[in-house]
Amino acid sequence: MIRVNLDQQLESQLSSVDDAQLCDASGKPLGHFLSEDRYRRMVYEWANAQISDEQLQQRLQTPGGKMLAEILAELEAK
């Protein structure tokens, strides 16, 4: 990811919004800005939508899996 440093004017404009569409001088959309809080909320909402609470509980109660030490040992043996 490329880091873009903002000038003070644009920084002050973006500091008070949760999201914004960024456009060039002609009005052509270039991308979207999301505040850190808005971005985190969206990521958590997406992650929560991937599995239901019931599925999560079922997976937690299902026996199986391996300990990290077992996985590492298998990888080292290869």
Side-chain angles (χ1 to χ4, degrees):
M1 178 184 301
I2 296 174
R3 173 176 248 156
V4 176
N5 295 319
L6 307 177
D7 61 32
Q8 288 182 339
Q9 180 183 5
L10 186 52
E11 180 183 351
S12 68
Q13 288 177 311
L14 292 176
S15 66
S16 62
V17 298
D18 259 355
D19 56 57
Q21 184 178 46
L22 304 178
C23 301
D24 67 12
S26 70
K28 176 184 171 191
L30 297 174
H32 297 272
F33 164 80
L34 297 173
S35 68
E36 186 67 23
D37 288 339
R38 176 70 184 248
Y39 175 75
R40 286 181 188 272
R41 284 193 312 267
M42 290 178 71
V43 169
Y44 290 144
E45 288 171 8
W46 175 85
N48 286 330
Q50 302 307 303
I51 186 169
S52 69
D53 290 342
E54 293 81 19
Q55 289 172 317
L56 186 56
Q57 286 302 318
Q58 182 182 12
R59 290 181 186 180
L60 288 171
Q61 294 172 0
T62 301
K66 296 181 182 181
M67 299 295 294
L68 179 58
E70 293 175 282
I71 296 169
L72 293 174
E74 288 177 8
L75 291 173
E76 288 176 0
K78 291 184 178 182

